[in-house]
Amino acid sequence: MPAVEEIQEFLPNLDCGRCGLTCAEFAGFLLTRELAPEDCPVLHEPDYAGFIEALHELLGQPTVQAAAGMQIDLEKCIGCGICVAMCEFHLGNCADARLGKGPRPQDKVIFHIVNGGAVVVHQERCTRLLQAAEKCSKCAEYCPTKAIVLF
Amino acid sequence: MEARIESAICPGCACLCDDIDITVVDDRIYQAANICLWGASKFLAHKRFHPKKERRRLQQPRIKQGCLWQTVPYEAALKRTAEILTRASRPVIYGLTNSGSWAQEAALDLARSTRARLEPADLAFKAPYYRSLMKHGLFWASLDVIRDEADTVVFWGANPLHSCPRHVVRYSVFARGKFTERGLEERRLAAVDVYRTELAEFVKLFIRLEPGQEPALVQGLLAALTGGKPPAIRGLRRLAALLEEASYGVIFFGRGVSYGPAQELLDGLGELTARLNRGSPFIFFPLTADFNSTGLYHLLLRELGSPLAPDFGHDLAGTGQAEPVAWSEVDAVVVVGADLFWFLSQEEIDRLKKRQVPVVALSPFANRTTGHAEVVIPVALAGVETPEIAYRMDGLPLFLPKIVSTHLWSDSRVLRELTALL
Ligand code: SF4
Ligand code: SF4
Ligand code: SF4
Ligand code: SF4
């Protein structure tokens, strides 16, 4: 996941409040995908040409990723982290997730919990994408709110 | 200015998760990794289970003048509260399960000096448990031991996904421990409740009862375990077998047990646990939701020798009260970190209002109680904006440092200065 400073490099940093927030808060919502770069009106001005595209690249284009096989409904998700603990990939790659703890920032994960909701950061690590799709569906299977849809 | 804090503790519930990674920008939290939605309601002031809605923070003390609100400095709000308490002959200090240990100590001092009753917000849930424990014994283990050892886990009237969302992941179901290396696959799970909960998504034996049927199920289990003839309740025999085969078991019971005949049910469950302990270790564990409820009962036990509600005006024997306070006698209420008006029935609220019982509310957030209170005193968020101590649900005391600053007073300061005024 990109760091906050990296995101802020591509924001106007004017704190003009036109998005209803400060730029730093806006960056936070970009990280949780609750807002998209297009939601900053200032970025649509000619001075900032190319910034929106740069932000999409930085954020890893969640919509494109989701099309590859996994969608998390943040309206339903309660951030319990069962999916993080049960994920087949995490089992072999993240000792903390095995134990039921949250992954450390440096751990290799597919998704983790941010601000109370599950956020995908590296869809490409998912077993379903590497092998046949029917190989794994653990995250969705154990999600108590049925927030994860695999396709 | 950006700062990162790794492995911070979340004061969202009594799990007190210690793996929260926080990013602070300009003295404001804008990202917290690994917290559940409940935790987000504390750190980011989101509404619980309504992630997009903000919880409204209170900013300034206010008092009612006639029927109008007036914002005032802290000192004036304290003075008004002191007047209310001095006039009262049956004051109650209510709540405190969502307050840090320093605030709880200050509240206990205040209760002493005003000869008030101190009413823990979850008394109806905890008092029957403590009484059952005195009768049948304490069957206790830390959450870490439970994670490492438990191969049989029963949730009774408890929905951990609502009261402490990460409990199942970190300790009771999914976590892989020392002797439970395959986690979920190694645990046999059951749940008993009067309605279907999210637990049914992964708990295979889910026994759904009619309200009031729980004591019968407990007696039936006892009968089944001692070779008697149990009544015909769906799932009873399977649950009995599951309990019997345990090599290390836990019964987590939740607030659901307090909606019916709580004492009868908890006595029964205590007896059942004692009986099961003849075979293998079995733990009987209250699934506490409020983040420092355990700290409050520890304080009462330490200071007064009884975990029940202390009543400095009425209970001269000092044994504490297990029954909820009779609100019809109360003539002043100080609510600390709880939403009394959400908890009371409409009838009780109407009666309090009709009798013009003054209510003082200390709270970080606006809620139903602050909407009705005569004095509203905003306080800092314990463990986020002010340092505090809290006890995890298994009794582990933890220090929660301050993460961001605020102009608001802490609840312990408000309570201490109030006691000094009296
Ligand atoms: S509208 Fe854009 S520039 Fe203005 S505060 Fe929001 S993010 Fe910053
Ligand atoms: S298991 Fe479901 S509810 Fe829990 S964090 Fe994952 S997506 Fe959200
Ligand atoms: S499908 Fe399997 S590997 Fe992919 S995210 Fe879900 S649990 Fe992990
Ligand atoms: S389970 Fe409780 S302590 Fe853990 S993150 Fe959620 S609210 Fe915080």
Side-chain angles (χ1 to χ4, degrees), chain A residues 4 25 28 31 34 78-80 82 85-86 91 98-105 113 115-116 142 144 146, chain B residues 2 7 19 21 28 30-37 44 49 52 161 166 169-170 174-176 181 184 198 201:
Chain A
V4 178
E25 288 167 332
L31 275 177
E34 282 164 74
I78 57 169
C80 65
I82 291 177
M86 292 309 282
L91 202 55
R98 270 190 69 90
L99 261 180
K101 284 183 82 170
R104 299 292 82 223
I113 309 297
N115 295 352
Y142 293 106
K146 295 271 162 275
Chain B
E2 184 185 320
S7 304
D19 57 355
D21 299 326
R28 285 190 60 183
Y30 88 85
Q31 185 180 305
N34 300 331
I35 48 165
C36 69
L37 213 47
L44 304 149
F49 300 108
K52 301 278 156 61
L161 290 161
R166 296 181 66 206
V169 174
R170 296 216 47 193
F174 296 97
R176 290 122 183 139
E181 273 184 27
L184 176 72
E198 287 97 334
E201 296 294 336

Side-chain angles (χ1 to χ4, degrees), chain B residues 8-11 20 22 29 32 35 39-45 381 383-384 403:
Chain B
I9 295 170
C10 170
I20 314 301
I22 297 177
I29 295 173
I35 48 165
S41 78
K42 275 279 173 85
F43 279 122
L44 304 149
L381 277 171
V384 179
I403 297 169

Side-chain angles (χ1 to χ4, degrees), chain A residues 89-150:
Chain A
F89 176 83
H90 295 174
L91 202 55
N93 291 284
C94 179
D96 278 319
R98 270 190 69 90
L99 261 180
K101 284 183 82 170
R104 299 292 82 223
Q106 65 277 8
D107 282 347
K108 270 177 85 174
V109 293
I110 295 175
F111 48 85
H112 64 166
I113 309 297
V114 179
N115 295 352
V119 177
V120 179
V121 281
H122 283 291
Q123 172 85 61
E124 75 284 359
R125 291 174 177 158
C126 172
T127 312
R128 287 170 67 86
L129 296 190
L130 298 175
Q131 300 163 19
E134 61 274 16
K135 276 269 153 63
C136 183
S137 57
K138 287 227 164 122
C139 53
E141 194 180 318
Y142 293 106
C143 170
T145 63
K146 295 271 162 275
I148 301 182
V149 179
L150 300 169

Side-chain angles (χ1 to χ4, degrees), chain B residues 331-345:
Chain B
D331 62 359
V333 196
V334 178
V335 181
V336 188
D339 195 353
L340 175 65
F341 279 59
W342 183 84
F343 167 78
L344 292 179
S345 67

